[in-house]
Amino acid sequence: MSKKSGPPPIVYILIALALIGCGFWWFFKRDTAPQANNQISTENPVSQDNQSIAQAFPAPASVPSGTTIDIDGSTSMVTINQNLKRGFESKFPGTTVVTRARGSSNGIQALINGTTDVAAVSRALTQQEQNQGLVAVPVASDAIAIIIGINNTSIKKLSSNQVADIFQGKVNNWSQVGGSNGKIEVINRPQVSGTHQAFKELVLNGNNFGTAPNITTLLRDETTGLIRVLGNNGIGYATYAQVRNQSTARVLPIDGMTPQSSSYPYTRKLFYVYKNPPNPQVQAFLGYTTSPEGQQAGFFGN
């Protein structure tokens, strides 16, 4: 009696491939799918590594009337300071937030001297500053904008290499970077400025600014004064939040990207710095700042 022949070999091959495919999905796709729900949005002004800070400084339910918090430091953080001042004083009646903007380094020195509670800083702390008990809390991401006078219409954009050459004094005529013939007037911020220090790291790769005759360093760290002296041939830099709506200065794209782009090359973190151990008013203010309510107030107004 003849035996019935089994299924052709191709059937077994197809079954084996199907089993392998199911196994791949089970071990890989199943494990990676839930992770998407745990990711923190990069649009959150408080960075992901700040979550431990938020735990160390929980949002206060109440703050005693008569509490005063003194902030001094970066001019780049003036708007954030003012927004948080309004939000904090509104939420906790009877409290006072005093803000000044004398530059990051001056704010840090005031903190070390005990004449301010919080330093607003637009650069990372040095090891020496950390050794003195200072702790930085990242509160925002910021972009350094390259600006020229509104009447300088011949320059539409610059590359990062061109910017570095201009601020190091290697290029001193607009015609060398695609513009009309004219001497480039470089307006630099003073060394006490955190933005000055951040610019050296981000734009000049740690190198010093040039000392050519066409480079002028301001005596005070102020964006309004810098814009005022740009004229037709000037170029300077400032935190983007302070110049994005300016009518007398224009922000230049760098490497084809504007400061709003996630790939913009000149981005940095802004910090609030306190001296360890923090006093109760500092704990309350940082707790409010790093809370969702404080973030909303700090960046979008109250």
Side-chain angles (χ1 to χ4, degrees):
M1 189 168 67
S2 63
K3 294 182 180 180
K4 292 183 179 180
S5 60
I10 188 64
V11 174
Y12 295 105
I13 294 173
L14 292 174
I15 292 173
L17 290 173
L19 291 173
I20 292 172
C22 290
F24 176 85
W25 182 91
W26 178 258
F27 287 107
F28 294 95
K29 298 296 184 181
R30 180 198 62 168
D31 292 337
T32 57
Q35 294 177 3
N37 295 328
N38 297 327
Q39 292 176 354
I40 297 175
S41 170
T42 57
E43 295 178 358
N44 189 340
V46 176
S47 59
Q48 185 171 353
D49 63 353
N50 199 30
Q51 299 309 303
S52 59
I53 297 293
Q55 294 174 0
F57 296 98
S62 62
V63 177
S65 178
T67 296
T68 299
I69 300 99
D70 190 282
I71 303 172
D72 193 2
S74 174
T75 60
S76 297
M77 296 178 67
V78 167
T79 300
I80 294 174
N81 293 343
Q82 290 298 317
N83 287 344
L84 286 169
K85 167 185 169 68
R86 287 190 292 268
F88 190 87
E89 292 176 347
S90 175
K91 184 175 178 63
F92 306 111
T95 62
T96 302
V97 178
V98 178
T99 66
R100 289 184 298 278
R102 298 184 301 148
S104 294
S105 295
N106 286 331
I108 287 173
Q109 192 58 52
L111 186 62
I112 293 171
N113 295 339
T115 57
T116 194
D117 298 306
V118 175
V121 177
S122 56
R123 62 168 174 81
L125 291 175
T126 65
Q127 188 59 55
Q128 182 181 8
E129 290 162 348
Q130 294 178 54
N131 292 342
Q132 296 181 77
L134 304 190
V135 181
V137 179
V139 295
S141 294
D142 177 47
I144 298 177
I146 307 301
I147 56 175
I148 60 175
I150 196 68
N151 294 326
N152 187 348
T153 58
S154 67
I155 296 295
K156 306 298 182 184
K157 60 183 179 179
L158 290 172
S159 70
S160 53
N161 288 335
Q162 288 172 332
V163 174
D165 286 344
I166 288 172
F167 282 88
Q168 289 182 293
K170 299 176 182 178
V171 170
N172 55 29
N173 195 293
W174 287 114
S175 63
Q176 296 174 269
V177 290
S180 302
N181 182 46
K183 179 182 176 183
I184 299 176
E185 298 289 351
V186 177
I187 312 300
N188 195 9
R189 307 180 86 99
Q191 289 190 7
V192 297
S193 165
T195 306
H196 171 109
Q197 300 299 330
F199 191 95
K200 284 178 62 175
E201 297 302 319
L202 289 171
V203 183
L204 305 183
N205 296 316
N207 296 312
N208 290 323
F209 288 88
T211 57
N214 68 312
I215 299 176
T216 300
T217 300
L218 298 176
L219 296 177
R220 294 181 57 192
D221 183 25
E222 56 166 336
T223 298
T224 301
L226 187 152
I227 293 174
R228 189 179 299 121
V229 297
L230 283 176
N232 294 332
N233 289 316
I235 185 171
Y237 57 95
T239 183
Y240 177 61
Q242 293 181 332
V243 296
R244 60 185 174 187
N245 295 322
Q246 279 289 334
S247 59
T248 57
R250 183 159 54 87
V251 175
L252 290 177
I254 305 300
D255 294 334
M257 292 170 285
T258 63
Q260 301 102 310
S261 170
S262 59
S263 300
Y264 184 73
Y266 306 148
T267 57
R268 59 177 174 166
K269 288 182 179 180
L270 302 177
F271 305 88
Y272 278 142
V273 178
Y274 67 93
K275 189 171 185 178
N276 227 1
N279 58 37
Q281 58 263 39
V282 168
Q283 290 180 319
F285 182 76
L286 292 180
Y288 173 76
T289 296
T290 55
S291 71
E293 182 178 359
Q295 290 287 293
Q296 177 70 22
F299 294 93
F300 304 105
N302 196 36

